[in-house]
Amino acid sequence: MRVLLVEDEKRMAQALCEILRQEKYDVDHCADGLEGLAAIEAGAYDLVVLDVMLPHKDGFSIAREARAKGIRTPILMLTAKSELDDTVTGLDCGADDYLTKPFRTRELLARLRALGRRSLRSADGALAFGDIELNRGASLLVCGENSVRLSEKEFRILEYLIANAGQILTREQLAVKIWGYESDAEYNNVEVYMSFARKKLNFVKVRTEIKAVRGVGYELRYRDV
């Protein structure tokens, strides 16, 4: 799961990045409010950890502008403020949860896990669409009694397609989501790994398919017959 941390305190950011990476999150860090908003708008992240006090644009404004543009990525807001009015302001601006500094690592991780489950609409560690299921813990694609292990990129592609079922995702969206906002990955990487993911779907004999929409992108569909 890819996390964006928007935090300008250097020591705090370093500590949080280390903690999250130990928990197997992919983490990108921004120390500036404007940079953080641009990264959120790119749609590359599953979760955002957002500080309130930031250079150039505060966390309240970032959350408000992101929600106004239709971005639904779960946001956990961090702040040194503990007054009730600030908590209410953060939630009213679009934050999904609010954590006051200093906080315990266990509480931060628990809240991120809860937001992550909500983001992917899965309560048991699995994500399903049509006749397929993804098992995150084992990195497996499952269909009935058939299963196959997925590479990291294959898993991310299918995870993103399932989480956005019913929508056509462009190659640009997929490239940013899978390889990151600042990655130099080219669009042909998307096509290569999309081919790999399709082969895994065929291997477990599913009716679910990755459909290429000419000139637009890709969509996950389920064949009834």
Side-chain angles (χ1 to χ4, degrees):
M1 186 168 285
R2 189 176 291 277
V3 177
L4 175 67
L5 171 65
V6 189
E7 168 64 68
D8 67 323
E9 294 181 17
K10 187 174 181 179
R11 290 185 179 180
M12 170 69 78
Q14 290 175 338
L16 288 176
C17 285
E18 182 177 349
I19 289 168
L20 293 172
R21 286 168 183 148
Q22 287 176 351
E23 295 295 317
K24 308 303 181 184
Y25 289 100
D26 287 334
V27 186
D28 289 336
H29 170 239
C30 295
D32 176 273
L34 290 174
E35 182 184 353
L37 178 59
I40 293 171
E41 290 175 347
Y45 301 97
D46 302 297
L47 298 169
V48 175
V49 180
L50 177 64
D51 191 30
V52 169
M53 303 302 294
L54 293 164
H56 302 122
K57 188 176 288 288
D58 63 77
F60 296 142
S61 299
I62 291 172
R64 186 183 299 111
E65 290 181 33
R67 296 304 188 227
K69 293 181 179 180
I71 296 168
R72 297 179 294 176
T73 307
I75 296 174
L76 174 63
M77 191 163 279
L78 301 180
T79 183
K81 300 179 180 180
S82 58
E83 291 82 1
L84 177 60
D85 287 348
D86 293 314
T87 303
V88 171
T89 299
L91 296 174
D92 283 346
C93 286
D96 297 272
D97 204 351
Y98 200 98
L99 198 55
T100 303
K101 303 174 185 176
F103 50 80
R104 293 180 299 173
T105 298
R106 289 178 60 188
E107 182 176 8
L108 170 69
L109 294 175
R111 295 194 184 208
L112 287 177
R113 286 194 296 270
L115 289 177
R117 289 195 296 269
R118 187 187 311 173
S119 173
L120 294 173
R121 301 190 292 275
S122 173
D124 60 358
L127 185 64
F129 175 83
D131 56 350
I132 64 173
E133 181 179 295
L134 294 184
N135 184 303
R136 294 193 194 93
S139 293
L140 288 177
L141 169 65
V142 181
C143 177
E145 297 181 355
N146 300 323
S147 66
V148 64
R149 192 170 300 280
L150 299 169
S151 71
E152 178 190 359
K153 295 294 188 294
E154 292 164 355
F155 189 93
R156 287 185 178 280
I157 284 173
L158 288 172
E159 180 183 55
Y160 191 38
L161 286 168
I162 292 174
N164 292 276
Q167 301 181 45
I168 299 173
L169 301 177
T170 66
R171 288 188 301 173
E172 181 179 11
Q173 286 176 306
L174 286 158
V176 170
K177 182 68 174 182
I178 308 306
W179 281 272
Y181 176 61
E182 297 182 348
S183 172
D184 293 327
E186 297 181 359
Y187 293 151
N188 61 358
N189 288 342
V190 174
E191 295 178 358
V192 168
Y193 280 93
M194 196 66 70
S195 175
F196 292 160
R198 282 172 166 150
K199 289 178 181 178
K200 295 294 178 70
L201 289 171
N202 291 334
F203 181 82
V204 293
K205 302 177 181 179
V206 302
R207 290 185 176 179
T208 298
E209 63 179 348
I210 299 172
K211 184 72 173 179
V213 181
R214 185 179 297 275
V216 183
Y218 299 92
E219 181 183 12
L220 201 63
R221 296 181 182 176
Y222 179 70
R223 302 189 304 271
D224 291 325
V225 293

